Amino acid sequence: MRAPSLVVALLALGPATTRAGEATTVDGYTADGRASYAQLSQRYQSLATEHGWVQETIYAYPDDPDLAIRAWRTPARGEALWIIAGIHGEEPAGPNAIAGNLTTLVRMAKDGVPMVVIPLANPKAYRSNWRYPNTPERDWRKGGYSVGDAEYLLPDLDKGTQPRAAAPPGPETQALTQYVLQIAATYPPRLVLDLHEDELSTECGYIYAQGSRQDDDPVGAEVIRLLETTGIPIRRSGGTRFGESIAGGVINRDDSGLPIRDGSIDELLASPRVFVDGVQRPGPSAATVIVVETPAFAGSQFALRVAAQGAVVQNAPALWRLSTTTD
Ligand SMILES: [Zn+2]
């Protein structure tokens, strides 16, 4: 993504942004049109203060206690809709789309749908427009780690008899993945929507589908249809740059034709088995996990990107109805 120029950054800097807690705005991370961390937090918090949802702090940064990964869940427990966004800090459309469509989620909660929402999973990187929380490098081979890296909880790729990694790569990663595992016990994921952007794509969107229904899932096709109605071009066939095949805009196998095992929080939510303290036990086993990947157009067209992801959030009730526990 292009770095915003200083002029653009200054133009985007309104007088209100100089108040305490917003000092990092001078770095220009809101220049692409995204709401500030404080603005997003305030909107998400309305779920708790105005609508009675449970707000939980998953991880607060010790050197900056205002900066925290938070979750909001409905008081009603049970088979749930999970919505996650902002795993990668340079993919702001999802967190902003959720903030702009909270009324849909509030309505669903009133209709009795249990929900867990983690709308800004990587606030530190969001504030820096970085991908990872610990480095501006977007290449993971240069030391960056994902806040959603769940490999230490997932079976190894060979025999599946031990954890894939010895330990979580960072403190926020540990907190987030532990939280997900713990909450999944009382809010078993039936449908997971994880909103990403493909920051290298200037052309087409696509989605990943995981979970026990990955081969027969009407939700994926509907998400693709929704993205298309907002004007996002879809890569319907061919392959990704990672060698995965795309069918109808949906990727549900890796480059070897096996189920996707990328070590992500999405794999964790879909996984039938996990390792806790070295002991194998049943995993969250979500029926449907959809990872939405819309093009980031090199950091431009922010309104279109938010509208595309907003269409997914607005239609969460219909996607929920399409999803089922068993196939
Ligand atoms: Zn991403």
Side-chain angles (χ1 to χ4, degrees), residues 88 91 131 196-197 293:
H88 296 135
E91 302 171 4
R131 183 171 186 80
H196 283 247
E197 296 186 82
E293 296 275 4

Side-chain angles (χ1 to χ4, degrees), residues 5-21:
S5 74
L6 183 60
V7 173
V8 173
L10 291 173
L11 284 174
L13 193 66
T17 57
T18 52
R19 67 183 187 273

Side-chain angles (χ1 to χ4, degrees), residues 41-54:
S41 300
Q42 199 173 20
R43 286 186 219 164
Y44 302 146
Q45 279 165 18
S46 70
L47 290 172
T49 57
E50 294 173 28
H51 303 289
W53 291 40
V54 181

Side-chain angles (χ1 to χ4, degrees), residues 87-91 131 195-199 291-293:
I87 289 280
H88 296 135
E90 90 286 36
E91 302 171 4
R131 183 171 186 80
L195 308 178
H196 283 247
E197 296 186 82
D198 185 340
E199 74 296 338
V291 178
V292 178
E293 296 275 4

Side-chain angles (χ1 to χ4, degrees), residues 170-231:
E172 59 278 89
T173 306
Q174 177 163 24
L176 179 58
T177 51
Q178 292 290 344
Y179 178 85
V180 163
L181 204 51
Q182 179 205 327
I183 294 297
T186 44
Y187 294 76
R190 174 169 125 192
L191 173 61
V192 178
L193 301 171
D194 184 1
L195 308 178
H196 283 247
E197 296 186 82
D198 185 340
E199 74 296 338
L200 295 183
S201 171
T202 53
E203 294 170 358
C204 298
Y206 53 90
I207 65 171
Y208 291 97
Q210 293 166 262
S212 56
R213 293 200 73 194
Q214 63 191 3
D215 290 323
D216 166 36
D217 201 327
V219 179
E222 179 62 8
V223 170
I224 288 295
R225 196 190 67 80
L226 290 169
L227 294 178
E228 280 185 318
T229 61
T230 64

Side-chain angles (χ1 to χ4, degrees), residues 110-136:
K110 287 196 175 126
D111 288 343
V113 179
M115 268 178 281
V116 179
V117 181
I118 307 173
L120 186 60
N122 189 357
K124 193 173 178 190
Y126 182 88
R127 273 197 341 191
S128 312
N129 197 34
W130 293 357
R131 183 171 186 80
Y132 301 121
N134 61 325
T135 171

